[in-house]
């Protein structure tokens, strides 16, 4: 067999190992059309090149590509390459500080080696797409990595935290999961000093330091917990209203950081939404274009009535001008 054929087969082996966590020798041999002995030789070639390929024996054993001291070249199929390029384009305008520049560098490298047919498809998507980005809170990439590792390793973290009233203090927490709404990043964690679950905004955190203190703790669903926290705590008013519409339809109309939707009965759902103004809440409910019943607070009904009178007056004035 020629050197070129061997090289091509080794690259195909590397691509297979990157595709899923573990392969048996028999599976790799069948994919490559060679013997298991040939697979073992090619695995050794990858190891010589610096790729950490681990082997386990026994039932369920096989080969697994591990993490090395440097990032190896990634072998992407057509769909993966297009998806990666588009994702890097979106990341260049993201909320993580420093990620925009890194995403652009990675996109430039990928574009350089991408086949012209794929490059044309990616550029067609880019040329047909604009991104409308509202105000976002930028997050330091190092902070993001520190918290992600702490969540993964289940170790406590210490950081300084700025409160809404302008104060600042040190917090020690047991982090579980980070949740992003697109505009902001949040950390769900057990606050050691307050002996309770808390939600922390990453843009209010100072430098985070991971400790060696490991923990094990049962926790509520992070997404549901964070959504309950961000739709209630930051706002002056919290409204509950029944909406005559399917829950999924209302969820598509209300951003997750603004409100949450609970299932009800008979084609209704309950919307819990926070706001700084009763007038804003009334207008927000009115724009849903569904039958709405305000449950609480009672003052919201008064605000809705005032909004209705204003709209009626506005419609009357417009009719008089057009007459």
């Amino acid at each position: 067999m020629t050197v070129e054929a061997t090289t091509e087969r080794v690259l195909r082996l590397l691509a297979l190992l990157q595709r899923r966590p573990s392969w048996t020798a028999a599976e790799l041999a069948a994919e490559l059309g060679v013997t298991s002995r040939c697979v073992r030789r090619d695995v050794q070639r990858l190891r010589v090149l610096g790729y950490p390929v681990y082997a386990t024996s026994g039932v369920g054993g096989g080969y697994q590509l591990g993490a090395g001291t440097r990032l190896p070249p990634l072998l992407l199929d057509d769909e993966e390459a297009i998806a990666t390029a588009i994702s890097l384009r979106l990341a260049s305008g993201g909320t993580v500080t420093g990620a925009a520049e890194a995403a652009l560098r990675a996109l430039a490298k990928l574009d350089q080696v991408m086949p012209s047919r794929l490059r044309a498809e990616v550029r067609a998507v880019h040329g047909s797409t604009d991104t409308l980005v509202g105000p976002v809170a930028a997050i330091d990439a190092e902070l993001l990595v520190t918290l992600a590792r702490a969540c993964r390793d289940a170790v406590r973290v210490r950081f300084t935290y700025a409160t809404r009233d302008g104060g600042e203090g040190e917090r020690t927490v047991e982090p579980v999961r980070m949740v992003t709404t697109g505009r902001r990043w949040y950390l769900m964690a057990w606050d050691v000093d307050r002996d309770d679950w808390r939600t922390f905004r990453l843009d209010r955190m100072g430098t985070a330091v991971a400790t060696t203190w490991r923990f094990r703790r049962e926790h509520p669903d992070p997404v549901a917990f964070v959504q309950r926290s961000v739709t209630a705590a930051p706002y002056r008013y919290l409204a509950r209203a029944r909406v005559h519409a399917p829950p999924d339809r209302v969820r598509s109309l209300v951003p997750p950081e603004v409100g949450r939707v609970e299932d009800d009965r008979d084609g209704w759902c309950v919307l819990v939404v926070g706001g700084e103004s009763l007038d804003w809440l009334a207008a927000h409910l009115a724009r849903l274009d569904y039958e709405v019943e305000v449950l609480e607070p009672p003052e919201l009904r008064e605000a809705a009535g005032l909004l209705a009178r204003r709209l009626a007056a506005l419609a009357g004035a417009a009719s008089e001008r057009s007459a």
Side-chain angles (χ1 to χ4, degrees), residues 139-254:
I139 306 301
D140 180 72
E142 185 175 347
L143 171 65
L144 201 64
V145 171
T146 298
L147 294 177
R149 289 174 177 169
C151 291
R152 179 197 63 191
D153 299 336
V155 296
R156 288 184 176 180
V157 174
R158 289 193 302 269
F159 53 84
T160 56
Y161 192 70
T163 59
R164 289 193 299 273
D165 57 9
E168 186 175 271
E170 185 174 276
R171 312 294 279 267
T172 300
V173 305
E174 296 176 352
V176 172
R177 188 71 57 85
M178 288 184 293
V179 178
T180 178
T181 65
R183 294 180 62 249
R184 289 195 178 102
W185 288 76
Y186 298 89
L187 173 70
M188 174 189 164
W190 179 265
D191 192 317
V192 175
D193 297 323
R194 290 155 180 79
D195 198 33
D196 198 5
W197 292 106
R198 289 288 191 271
T199 297
F200 301 94
R201 276 176 46 176
L202 268 63
D203 58 299
R204 291 179 177 169
M205 288 185 185
T207 302
V209 178
T211 71
T212 57
W213 183 291
R214 294 187 175 274
F215 66 89
R216 294 184 62 184
R217 187 181 298 276
E218 295 294 326
H219 59 80
D221 177 70
V223 172
F225 182 86
V226 170
Q227 189 179 28
R228 282 195 299 270
S229 298
V230 302
T231 55
Y235 300 107
R236 181 180 178 185
Y237 298 102
L238 186 65
R240 289 174 55 86
R242 294 184 74 230
V243 183
H244 196 189
D248 289 342
R249 177 58 183 160
V250 179
R251 290 188 183 101
S252 70
L253 299 174
V254 181

Side-chain angles (χ1 to χ4, degrees), residues 51-92:
Y51 293 93
V53 182
Y54 304 120
T56 56
S57 58
V59 178
Y63 293 103
Q64 182 177 16
L65 184 63
T69 57
R70 58 190 178 89
L71 183 67
L74 298 177
L75 302 180
L76 306 175
D77 61 29
D78 289 1
E79 292 182 354
E80 292 169 341
I82 293 173
T84 300
I86 294 173
S87 298
L88 287 170
R89 166 86 188 297
L90 295 175
S92 65

Side-chain angles (χ1 to χ4, degrees), residues 266-289:
D266 301 328
W268 291 73
C269 63
V270 174
L271 172 63
V272 182
V273 58
E276 294 297 322
S277 164
L278 289 173
D279 291 339
W280 182 90
L281 286 170
H284 186 74
L285 294 176
R287 64 175 290 273
L288 292 177
D289 199 28

Side-chain angles (χ1 to χ4, degrees), residues 13-76:
L13 172 61
L14 177 59
L16 290 173
L17 292 173
Q18 290 177 344
R19 185 184 301 173
R20 75 185 202 198
S22 181
W23 293 81
T24 65
E27 289 173 333
L28 291 172
E31 289 283 343
L32 298 172
V34 297
T35 64
S36 296
R37 183 178 180 182
C38 184
V39 169
R40 289 193 293 271
R41 288 199 299 265
D42 287 346
V43 166
Q44 185 57 35
R45 291 186 176 100
L46 287 176
R47 290 169 176 163
V48 171
L49 293 172
Y51 293 93
V53 182
Y54 304 120
T56 56
S57 58
V59 178
Y63 293 103
Q64 182 177 16
L65 184 63
T69 57
R70 58 190 178 89
L71 183 67
L74 298 177
L75 302 180
L76 306 175

